[in-house]
Amino acid sequence: MIRAKTRAMTHPAAWLLLSALVLAACVTINVYFPAAEAERAADRIIDEVRGTGGTEEQDTTSRLPPQALPARFAAAVADFLVPAAHAQDRPDFDASSPAKRALEQSLKQRFPQLKPYYDSGAIGLTARGTIEIRDRSLIPLNERNRVRQLVSEQNADWEALYREIARINGHPEWEDEIRQVFADRWIAKAESGWYYRDAGGQWRQK
Amino acid sequence: MGALRRCRSGGLAICASLICLVSVALQPPAALAAAGFTVAVDAVTGAGWSADGIELRILPGDGSGDIAASVRVERLRLPEPVGELRDVTLRCDTVAIATAEAGYRCERGRAVAQRSPLDPEAFSLAASYRPADGRLILELPDLPWQGMTLRVSAQLADDGWTAAVEGADLDAATVYGALAATASMTSTATTVPELEIAAGTAGFRLRARGEDGGAIRIDSRITLRDLSLANTSGSLAAEGLDVTLEAQARMPEPGGRLDYTATLTADAGEAYVEPAYFNLSASPLTLASTGGLDLAGGPVRIDSFLLDHRDVLAASGEAVLRRGEEPAVARADVEIADAVFPGVYTTYLQGFLTGTPLAKLETRGRVSGRVRLDDGGVAALDLALDDLHADDADGRLAIYGARGRIAWDVAPDAAPVSSRLVWDGGFVYDAGFGAGTAAFSSTPDRITLQETLRLPVLDGALVVETFAASGLSGDEPAVEFDARLEPVSLAGITTALGWPALPGKLSGELPLLSVSEGAVTLGGSLVARVFDGTARISELRIEQPFGANRRTSAEVALDNLDLALVTDVFTFGRITGRLDGAIRGLEMLQGRPVAFDARFYTPADDDSPHRISRRALSNISEIAGSGTAALSAGFLGLFEEFRYDSLGIRCVLEGDICSMSGVQPAQQGYYLVKGSGLPRIDVIGHSRQVNWPRLVAQITEALKSREVSTSPQSEERR
């Protein structure tokens, strides 16, 4: 009996079934962060805020490491096993909410006021999905306090947007990952001449 | 020998030293000098200086009685900032030797000194020495120093010395470089900020006088024209700045305490001292001050200052400033004679308020009074407001015509102080308020409203009977609060919101208010007698009331409204009967709903006539996404009104999706209107998930169509 059981468990079909069950269980609680979807959503929001609609030169190369094969396989199996029932639980980074729309609108309205300072190098992109005054000397003296205020408001909106996207998707704990995706995509999509902080915190010019 | 002793004690500068040596050498009879000779001295040392390898040469004169002399010093060490000089030669073509009373004079001198073999510096000099009273006079009209040419003169005597240095039309960057180099060499406690000077000219005149007993007096005037500068971070910058500084200082002993009187005038250009911005061309300023400091370190004592910043601020007072890497105000007493808005706001205040609700105000008015600062910021204030207006550019808050007195003292033993503020009106978001008076009494830790505050709102008023906030030094002050809303016409409120004017009045008791983690929670409820029923708003809570992401939550209950009255106002189509309702968990972001569970339904015990017009049925059907064609088809088209058993709608909003349901489930969908009698009309909703923004647009559209149409075609389009 013992031998028979053991043999049964070593049968490939039994393993597959077990794996599938485990994977299905995994998927229902959705613990993996869907970085590729987040990237695409970030790109759309960034284009919207900049009012570019993605027409200008873009770096379309993903900064994500290629997803490990087992994980992709797991996702495929999971999609197959839990097609409809859990579909609504899966994150949708394009899902809208009044808060998200309000924040996007506010970011979009403020962006043209900030654009000249991105272009001059006075402000740059941080590695935390925010902006920072990089070189005050590039801002006329009488505009410095206004730029400080604009930067402070824009950053407050970005932080709130990252929090809201995580909240809509039912995963407040994703806020950091979402922020990171936006940080990377902003840098990837920065116009030539803009400044950004690299992973080591040093300013670099695109 | 007496002369040599004096020379040692008075070793002031290179030329003074050399002329001293010459004069010592010339003590022998003049006849010997006329023949010419050479004297070599190994070394001479004095306090702070030394000279090695000295060779003195007296040359025969031209027969007029004068002689020529030269001194060569291999190595001359002088106190910093001059330092060590090599191969110093000094030649005087006209040395006049007179009696001991008249002394000696060198009229056309020429000196060459070099700091390094490649960098010889030559300059002219004239000097005289009178042995009788030991007076040495030195004139250096073109002394090279750190790439500049300065005019230097000095006089040494038994009873003290004077020295003057002047420079005109100098390059400001060069002067600054020289000063910074000097400061770093002398390594005093004074730190020079790292500045990059892009443009500007400098001129200065410095006179110093040493008194018997070692005291030094300095009288200086420095002018900077068209100066452009910035520090590395850009937190300090100026452009096209014209500044004049006149200062007198006295040091009882060198390197010790320094007492000063100074006047700074800045009358052109602009300056940024983060976060303050000065447009000096528009508003020149003069700052006069007296005080003292210890050169070895320690704080700067400003005994008095008087600031006259035109159209911005007139103030005076005294202060103590801490020096060091981050200079700061340790203590200050400021008497504000006149602070003029908006100048004082844009120049001094706005930069400090970045990121707060007060960062974007349009201001007007005047303030005067007293402010005391200490380590922790404002320690006490007593301000008189004169017709002050402040209006937020983002429309969050405004106050007009504020006047009165605001006082506060945080000293632990301070006696309670009273404030009284009167205003003409203002706004909190869309809610306008009228003139009012607030009288407060404050102690360091507590503010108490002293008399009832009546704040007119539309035709009613918010009456605050009690307000006291304590624990102000902590993060979460405890608030005692008791207020009531005197009836306000709903018409005013709803038209302010762009809705049709509703009949009825809103009033309520608000017995509690608490502040915690930036959120304000109101206890009690606001009640409106409306449409013969009541609407009650309770559990009102506002997070970040003036923040960018203002979140409001509340519970709303509607009780026994007369639908006939409701539909008269909203021209939605006439319905009779009663209506109950509740909006639970209402959450609004910046005034727009983002989540709620709303239900409106016919009360179970309602026995009033239930009738609904075809137009209302049509509108409800549209909202539910159902067709209305049946209403106008066939014999139904003959009826203008139908009877109903019950009606109701429920929408659970989350994000943009409203999950809809009605009075009860139907076979496919849910009943929005359950008809009764004949002909019986049921409205059944099928959409479970409705896009909320679209629904709002539909409802708005339905409410907007005020002209009640009688044409069935337009009523029931499909």
Side-chain angles (χ1 to χ4, degrees), chain B residues 673-707:
Chain B
V673 180
K674 205 161 181 279
S676 90
L678 282 174
R680 177 182 161 137
I681 302 279
D682 293 330
V683 180
I684 294 174
H686 296 288
S687 315
R688 294 273 179 200
Q689 312 272 312
V690 175
N691 181 296
W692 171 251
R694 206 176 308 147
L695 185 66
V696 171
Q698 276 172 357
I699 295 175
T700 315
E701 196 57 37
L703 294 181
K704 254 198 283 184
S705 51
R706 283 177 174 247
E707 304 124 73

Side-chain angles (χ1 to χ4, degrees), chain B residues 216-283:
Chain B
I216 298 175
R217 270 184 189 284
I218 300 167
D219 185 340
S220 65
R221 181 189 164 88
I222 300 169
T223 54
L224 299 165
R225 290 284 168 265
D226 208 13
L227 182 70
S228 289
L229 63 84
N231 67 353
T232 329
S233 69
S235 58
L236 182 71
E239 268 167 34
L241 190 65
D242 284 359
V243 180
T244 304
L245 175 70
E246 280 189 69
Q248 289 83 45
R250 184 174 187 276
M251 268 188 286
E253 55 195 65
R257 208 179 78 237
L258 180 148
D259 297 311
Y260 75 89
T261 301
T263 304
L264 177 93
T265 308
D267 49 15
E270 44 181 355
Y272 181 70
V273 185
E274 192 165 271
Y277 167 75
F278 301 84
N279 182 343
L280 298 156
S281 301
S283 296

Side-chain angles (χ1 to χ4, degrees), chain B residues 274-319:
Chain B
E274 192 165 271
Y277 167 75
F278 301 84
N279 182 343
L280 298 156
S281 301
S283 296
L285 75 78
T286 303
L287 177 65
S289 151
T290 61
L293 69 153
D294 193 333
L295 290 173
V300 179
R301 198 189 70 244
I302 299 174
D303 296 330
S304 75
F305 70 84
L306 179 64
L307 173 70
D308 181 8
H309 193 172
R310 191 199 295 166
D311 297 333
V312 176
L313 181 63
S316 59
E318 55 176 82

Side-chain angles (χ1 to χ4, degrees), chain A residues 122-196:
Chain A
I123 59 178
L125 304 159
T126 71
R128 298 273 301 156
T130 52
I131 53 175
E132 197 179 302
I133 297 182
R134 187 190 71 91
D135 188 349
R136 288 175 178 79
S137 66
L138 298 170
I139 309 171
L141 300 192
N142 59 351
E143 290 174 20
R144 287 189 191 181
N145 279 335
R146 192 177 76 93
V147 175
R148 285 174 64 236
Q149 174 69 18
L150 283 171
V151 166
S152 150
E153 289 177 355
Q154 196 77 341
N155 284 341
D157 279 355
W158 279 121
E159 293 290 353
L161 181 68
Y162 303 147
R163 205 158 39 241
E164 179 65 11
I165 293 174
R167 192 192 67 81
I168 303 173
N169 282 284
H171 286 278
E173 76 281 6
W174 280 354
E175 188 183 327
D176 269 344
E177 277 114 323
I178 289 166
R179 181 187 293 111
Q180 200 49 54
V181 167
F182 272 83
D184 291 345
R185 294 317 296 161
W186 260 110
I187 293 169
K189 293 167 74 66
E191 281 177 28
S192 174
W194 288 11
Y195 283 86
Y196 64 95

